[in-house]
Amino acid sequence: MAKGRFEYKTVIKKDRRLVWDFFSDPANLQKITSFPRVQVIRDSEQEERIKIKLNFFLFRITWYAVITEKRDQDYFIDEGDNLPFPLRHWKHTHQFESSGTGTIMTDKVEYRAFAPDFLVKMMLILMFKSREKKIRSIFRWI
């Protein structure tokens, strides 16, 4: 079983408050994720538990992200619940830091998976690089 940590930094040339507000809305995950296609369903009764449906064309996966910790404009942490195979553990810290005229967003992922570590990291790199491209495009117009 692979156990690892992954970190990815994205520089966004916008004020931290604006960046925080965008990433605090789980629906925006759909806007920044092109593969796999993502559908976010928020339970109004359990605001901190978010249902995520991933569409890989040939198969679909549903899992839950639970916001376990949050500090306004600084960071929030989501942890996976009812994770799909091959994931066994998922903890994702979204950290925001002012830098000059912009914001540095750092994604830190701790995971355990029934998959080789290099495959997990390769998938994370592809996902975050794709998201970075979408984020730059979106924030160009905000």
Side-chain angles (χ1 to χ4, degrees), residues 76-112:
F76 65 93
I77 299 171
D78 67 81
E79 296 190 49
D81 184 25
N82 193 30
L83 292 167
F85 182 82
L87 293 174
R88 299 293 297 148
H89 171 78
W90 177 271
K91 182 177 181 180
H92 183 183
T93 302
H94 310 252
Q95 188 175 346
F96 304 88
E97 175 181 357
S98 294
S99 175
T101 60
T103 303
I104 298 173
M105 180 178 70
T106 305
D107 290 283
K108 298 177 184 178
V109 178
E110 297 174 32
Y111 61 86
R112 284 194 310 273

Side-chain angles (χ1 to χ4, degrees), residues 2-142:
K3 179 180 179 179
R5 293 180 180 186
F6 177 82
E7 187 172 303
Y8 195 90
K9 291 185 184 280
T10 304
V11 177
I12 304 168
K13 295 180 180 180
K14 294 292 180 180
D15 177 74
R16 187 163 90 179
R17 174 89 249 169
L18 181 69
V19 173
W20 171 265
D21 288 345
F22 179 85
F23 285 97
S24 293
D25 182 352
N28 286 326
L29 181 60
Q30 294 174 179
K31 293 177 183 174
I32 65 169
T33 307
S34 57
F35 185 79
R37 288 284 179 209
V38 173
Q39 180 184 7
V40 175
I41 302 166
R42 195 166 198 173
D43 185 341
S44 60
E45 293 178 19
Q46 291 184 317
E47 193 167 308
E48 301 303 316
R49 184 177 166 91
I50 301 148
K51 185 176 187 178
I52 300 172
K53 291 184 176 185
L54 305 174
N55 183 347
F56 288 92
F57 303 116
L58 298 176
F59 61 96
R60 291 182 168 93
I61 295 173
T62 299
W63 65 303
Y64 295 86
V66 180
I67 306 299
T68 57
E69 194 174 333
K70 184 188 315 185
R71 183 179 301 150
D72 189 44
Q73 294 189 53
D74 288 335
Y75 70 91
F76 65 93
I77 299 171
D78 67 81
E79 296 190 49
D81 184 25
N82 193 30
L83 292 167
F85 182 82
L87 293 174
R88 299 293 297 148
H89 171 78
W90 177 271
K91 182 177 181 180
H92 183 183
T93 302
H94 310 252
Q95 188 175 346
F96 304 88
E97 175 181 357
S98 294
S99 175
T101 60
T103 303
I104 298 173
M105 180 178 70
T106 305
D107 290 283
K108 298 177 184 178
V109 178
E110 297 174 32
Y111 61 86
R112 284 194 310 273
F114 290 115
D117 192 50
F118 78 92
L119 280 179
V120 176
K121 286 186 175 166
M122 185 173 61
M123 290 297 292
L124 290 170
I125 288 168
L126 292 172
M127 181 180 74
F128 283 106
K129 281 190 176 292
S130 173
R131 285 183 180 181
E132 181 177 20
K133 186 176 177 181
K134 285 287 218 177
I135 289 165
R136 290 188 191 284
S137 175
I138 289 167
F139 278 95
R140 186 175 303 132
W141 304 107
I142 293 179

